[in-house]
Amino acid sequence: MKIYIALALIAAGTVAVAHSGVKNPDVMNRMIGMSEMAKQMKTVGAMAKGETAFDADAVNAALATLSEEASYIPSLFEINATDPKSEALPVIWEEFDTFAGHAKHLEEITASLAGTVKSPGDLGPVMKEVGKACAACHSDYRKE
Ligand code: HEC
């Protein structure tokens, strides 16, 4: 199951960034999942900064992809796997429902934003709202 998800994530994007030194495959899979989401954010962020041309379809597609990727988060973290390179805090597995709730929130917010982006002016607010949903989880469950 987990392997399928990781493969699907890799197939959906390009090859994931190398997470050098990570030995635990479950930790590796969840890092790949996170990196895939970061890639969608980068697509939108580059347009927001004017580095790439505005493309509403690409932004709306990135948001839909993010929503799908967010739906995988709980299963990617289901096993309490550790690795010296991991930044995951053990509290994740003490309050897994709350952790999964943050994933659900990201899934829902990106789904509701997908399709709404029409002009470059929409990019800032979208980045802010999605970024907040990422940060809400990171601040409690990831080492700073
Ligand atoms: C439900 C909680 C949660 C949400 C929501 C979440 N993350 Fe994460 N993220 C984590 C945890 C926990 C880790 C640390 C994983 C590890 O090192 O084992 C992490 C790690 C990462 C990493 C580092 C991956 C690596 O290679 O080590 C990136 C990049 C990242 N997240 C991006 C994002 C982005 C972008 C979003 C929003 C679109 C997001 N995350 C939303 C929990 C979350």
Side-chain angles (χ1 to χ4, degrees):
M1 177 71 172
K2 281 198 170 53
I3 291 168
Y4 284 165
I5 291 169
L7 288 177
L9 288 172
I10 292 167
T14 48
V15 177
V17 194
H19 304 275
S20 60
V22 178
K23 295 202 174 61
N24 185 296
D26 292 312
V27 172
M28 179 67 99
N29 278 350
R30 68 199 190 203
M31 284 177 168
I32 291 171
M34 286 292 155
S35 301
E36 286 296 321
M37 294 200 302
K39 217 161 59 189
Q40 307 305 327
M41 288 294 271
K42 242 179 235 162
T43 301
V44 183
M47 283 182 220
K49 284 188 262 173
E51 290 169 7
T52 52
F54 176 69
D55 178 345
D57 289 344
V59 178
N60 288 313
L63 288 165
T65 302
L66 257 175
S67 182
E68 194 190 337
E69 289 168 348
S71 74
Y72 299 144
I73 297 175
S75 61
L76 285 170
F77 281 86
E78 217 164 27
I79 294 177
N80 183 349
T82 52
D83 187 281
K85 298 268 178 184
S86 174
E87 294 176 323
L89 294 175
V91 69
I92 291 171
W93 295 277
E94 286 163 24
E95 37 184 78
F96 199 79
D97 288 352
T98 312
F99 176 79
H102 282 290
K104 190 80 195 164
H105 176 66
L106 176 63
E107 180 187 343
E108 287 172 357
I109 210 137
T110 43
S112 73
L113 288 168
T116 67
V117 174
K118 294 188 168 58
S119 73
D122 295 333
L123 295 175
V126 160
M127 285 295 287
K128 199 169 154 206
E129 203 156 345
V130 177
K132 246 184 2 203
C134 309
C137 189
H138 289 163
S139 67
D140 286 347
Y141 298 106
R142 189 178 75 165
K143 286 179 205 161
E144 293 299 325

